[in-house]
Amino acid sequence: MPTLIPILGDQLSPRISALVDADPAAATILMMEVREEASYVRHHKAKLAYIFSAMRHHAAALREAGWRVDYVTLDDPANSGSFTGEIARAIGRHAPDRIIVTEAGEWRVAAMLDAWETLFGLPVEIRADGRFLVSHAEFAEWADGRDALVMENFYRVMRRRTGLLMEGGRPAGGRWNFDADNRRPAKADMLMPRPHAFQPDPITQQVLAMVESRFPDNPGSLAHFDYAVTAREAELQAYHFFRHALPDFGRYEDAMVSGERHLWHSILSPYINSGLLDPLALCRRAEAEYRAGRVPLNSAEGYIRQIIGWREYVRGIYWREGPDYVRRNFLDHRRPLPAFYWTGDTDQHCLREVVGQTLASGHAHHIQRLMVAGNFALLIGADPAEVHRWYLEIYVDAYEWVELPNTLGMSQYGDGGLLGSKPYAASGAYINRMSDYCRHCRYDVSQRVGEDACPFNALYWDFLARHRPRLGDNRRLAMPYANWDRMPAQEQAAVRGQAAKFLAKLDAAPPDY
């Protein structure tokens, strides 16, 4: 039976569910670079280059494995510009009797897939994505009837289900979560592990030229593009992480250091999210490193929790809450993001570091994203939908199913606490504790008011004060509110005046994006 099997740009696994039981002699794999997907937001140039290059390399690997691959490049003059348009053209070329496709990762694309059977008059089989451990129905069953969807509770279910770091029905080390051990600051160190930097091969060089030519005004730079673009290269990066970085990953998981983009982080999320690496296999390798005595438990557990806990959890939230999740705005924040989110041009050193490295590479680790870029957006009252759009555009590993709950829910508290039990708001003291950023900043992190005061300080207290009607009953904010209440009225007024002055200056600056 002639079968058309579309493989999307985030499905670059040879064992993707659409290929299970397929006959290479009777199937045609369709891979499509389409303008609609490349431009529905202004993706970072490195993100576009990574996806297109990884797709082209994956197509070559599939052909080598014996598959017939019909590949449509972005610059093909006949390219219709959309998935649906390219399916229509492929049906004309190959006359299939049916279409088999792995489910889409995002609501927007899922709606396209759902329409194909009616539109083309062919049977369309949409298969579950086997790269995830929990189906949409299974997550909904776990969530239904619960007063709070606490990730930690879900994570324990996943630990038992997979058997990872379990010993006779109990967690290894007697604790489920070692996050309290993973909050050490770090210093610049010449012996810090450095991930592999992959030199662009001829295929990648062609993609880089195409992206630069067709998306000249998109954010970011391609000057130092060094991502893995094949399964083999991604595996080399994984091996390097497990052998050299994972031992200290836990200890320094939340640390930030000026000029250091990677620290002990894996840099594997782009490869996991696009399909070049298998997430469960990586977790089993982390466990094996712990069992072999090469990695401490807090590092192995911290890494595993990010994948079988957090990654599976946010995907469940995304599909359970539906397409309108993006419009939630519990705190009624409406301010546009400042222009420096697209330029890095700010005199706040922490933001200059994080935004600067993001623009240069499309990467920043989770604490930089959450407690610097996200924290500042939250404190100034930025529109969560605009913040979401920035994160979706700017990070190479960002797909909506994983990025939206992390940004709108966790970072911006737009869902009112569905995903996070409190807003991730913090003053400059947190950044100073976990980084060396403040030592290089023109602002004084110890001051709340005055020309040299760290903007995060006044903004933090102003955030709490203006949102007290919504957040005052939150038990996790009881201590900050008690500290605010102990401030003399004159000091409270000065702090809020400082915040108002800063926000007025921010609003006066023209947008540049």
Side-chain angles (χ1 to χ4, degrees):
M1 179 182 294
T3 303
L4 184 66
I5 304 178
I7 299 292
L8 308 184
D10 60 349
Q11 298 176 349
L12 309 182
S13 168
R15 294 175 295 280
I16 198 73
S17 61
L19 296 180
V20 173
D21 299 328
D23 179 3
T28 298
I29 293 174
L30 175 66
M31 297 184 68
M32 309 158 277
E33 299 171 2
V34 296
R35 183 80 191 189
E36 186 174 76
E37 295 307 302
S39 60
Y40 74 94
V41 296
R42 293 173 64 245
H43 297 289
H44 194 296
K45 291 176 183 177
K47 182 179 183 182
L48 291 172
Y50 166 69
I51 293 172
F52 290 150
S53 182
M55 287 175 65
R56 293 185 185 192
H57 284 90
H58 185 62
L62 288 170
R63 290 189 183 108
E64 188 175 343
W67 293 97
R68 181 169 56 247
V69 181
D70 182 356
Y71 195 100
V72 182
T73 61
L74 190 72
D75 49 9
D76 182 339
N79 191 325
S80 68
S82 71
F83 283 153
T84 298
E86 287 311 299
I87 293 291
R89 291 207 310 130
I91 290 172
R93 290 193 297 271
H94 304 293
D97 291 336
R98 61 175 180 165
I99 297 172
I100 298 177
V101 63
T102 295
E103 63 182 334
E106 303 180 2
W107 283 105
R108 178 181 54 82
V109 182
M112 299 180 200
L113 272 58
D114 288 341
W116 287 351
E117 186 162 297
T118 300
L119 191 61
F120 299 122
L122 289 175
V124 176
E125 180 184 350
I126 301 174
R127 295 181 175 178
D129 192 338
R131 295 173 297 172
F132 294 93
L133 303 176
V134 176
S135 70
H136 307 317
E138 288 170 332
F139 186 86
E141 182 180 356
W142 172 82
D144 287 350
R146 292 178 181 268
D147 294 332
L149 304 184
V150 179
M151 195 284 288
E152 181 68 20
N153 295 338
F154 174 79
Y155 170 55
R156 295 182 184 188
V157 171
M158 296 304 294
R159 286 275 294 277
R160 293 189 179 100
R161 179 169 176 168
T162 61
L164 286 163
L165 296 179
M166 297 297 293
E167 296 174 351
R170 295 189 52 78
R175 290 160 54 190
W176 292 100
N177 186 316
F178 288 82
D179 196 41
D181 299 339
N182 294 352
R183 298 170 184 168
R184 293 273 298 275
K187 297 180 181 179
D189 184 349
M190 292 182 65
L191 300 179
M192 192 180 296
R194 309 288 174 183
H196 290 296
F198 297 95
Q199 295 301 311
D201 66 5
I203 291 176
T204 301
Q205 290 172 6
Q206 290 176 357
V207 168
L208 294 176
M210 181 186 72
V211 170
E212 200 66 77
S213 172
R214 290 179 171 264
F215 303 93
D217 299 325
N218 280 40
S221 170
L222 294 174
H224 305 289
F225 184 90
D226 60 3
Y227 284 98
V229 292
T230 68
R232 179 182 176 277
E233 290 177 343
E235 171 56 33
L236 288 173
Q237 197 72 277
Y239 176 85
H240 183 276
F241 168 68
F242 286 115
R243 184 51 55 94
H244 301 290
L246 183 58
D248 280 325
F249 165 75
R251 185 185 313 177
Y252 301 122
E253 186 178 349
D254 290 358
M256 298 175 283
V257 178
S258 295
E260 293 292 347
R261 179 157 55 113
H262 303 115
L263 286 85
W264 287 267
H265 290 268
S266 72
I267 326 298
L268 299 180
S269 55
Y271 317 134
I272 297 172
N273 290 348
S274 65
L276 295 184
L277 292 175
D278 179 80
L280 182 58
L282 293 175
C283 289
R284 298 212 182 280
R285 287 171 67 175
E287 180 185 40
E289 291 296 301
Y290 160 68
R291 300 290 185 193
R294 292 188 290 266
V295 167
L297 180 55
N298 66 304
S299 286
E301 187 278 319
Y303 183 72
I304 289 169
R305 176 165 23 96
Q306 296 302 316
I307 294 179
I308 67 165
W310 193 252
R311 182 174 185 269
E312 294 277 345
Y313 173 77
V314 296
R315 178 180 184 257
I317 292 287
Y318 175 82
W319 285 100
R320 181 177 186 266
E321 294 306 304
D324 68 338
Y325 187 71
V326 70
R327 293 188 286 274
R328 299 187 192 179
N329 191 351
F330 176 76
L331 297 174
D332 196 29
H333 282 174
R334 305 293 175 184
R335 181 170 276 105
L337 276 175
F340 66 72
Y341 274 74
W342 286 266
T343 66
D345 185 14
T346 172
D347 56 1
Q348 296 174 80
H349 180 73
C350 60
L351 284 160
R352 187 168 63 246
E353 278 283 307
V354 172
V355 174
Q357 77 170 52
T358 295
L359 291 171
S361 67
H363 168 78
H365 71 68
H366 68 283
I367 291 298
Q368 292 176 308
R369 300 189 200 194
L370 178 65
M371 298 309 299
V372 179
N375 182 24
F376 185 80
L378 176 67
L379 295 182
I380 67 170
D383 187 328
E386 185 170 332
V387 181
H388 147 65
R389 185 182 179 94
W390 182 80
Y391 277 83
L392 182 61
E393 289 179 347
I394 213 73
Y395 288 112
V396 170
D397 59 2
Y399 298 88
E400 191 179 72
W401 66 265
V402 65
E403 174 276 324
L404 177 60
N406 270 298
T407 300
L408 184 138
M410 184 181 189
S411 173
Q412 301 302 299
Y413 208 68
D415 61 14
L418 173 71
L419 192 142
S421 57
K422 73 174 182 65
Y424 276 84
S427 69
Y430 175 87
I431 297 170
N432 189 41
R433 184 167 64 251
M434 295 309 305
S435 77
D436 67 352
Y437 290 163
C438 300
R439 290 178 232 163
H440 305 285
C441 190
R442 85 153 196 85
Y443 294 106
D444 186 343
V445 71
S446 68
Q447 294 186 32
R448 291 174 181 160
V449 297
E451 289 298 317
D452 295 328
C454 172
F456 278 87
N457 293 337
L459 290 172
Y460 171 71
W461 293 112
D462 181 67
F463 170 84
L464 290 177
R466 74 177 184 267
H467 286 305
R468 193 159 199 166
R470 291 183 175 93
L471 302 176
D473 292 335
N474 188 307
R475 289 180 294 176
R476 295 194 64 190
L477 295 177
M479 185 175 293
Y481 277 116
N483 291 337
W484 172 251
D485 290 339
R486 281 194 287 270
M487 284 187 203
Q490 185 176 0
E491 184 176 355
Q492 288 183 347
V495 167
R496 298 208 67 186
Q498 176 87 5
K501 181 179 177 181
F502 181 86
L503 292 171
K505 183 179 179 181
L506 204 65
D507 292 341
D512 184 25
Y513 52 88

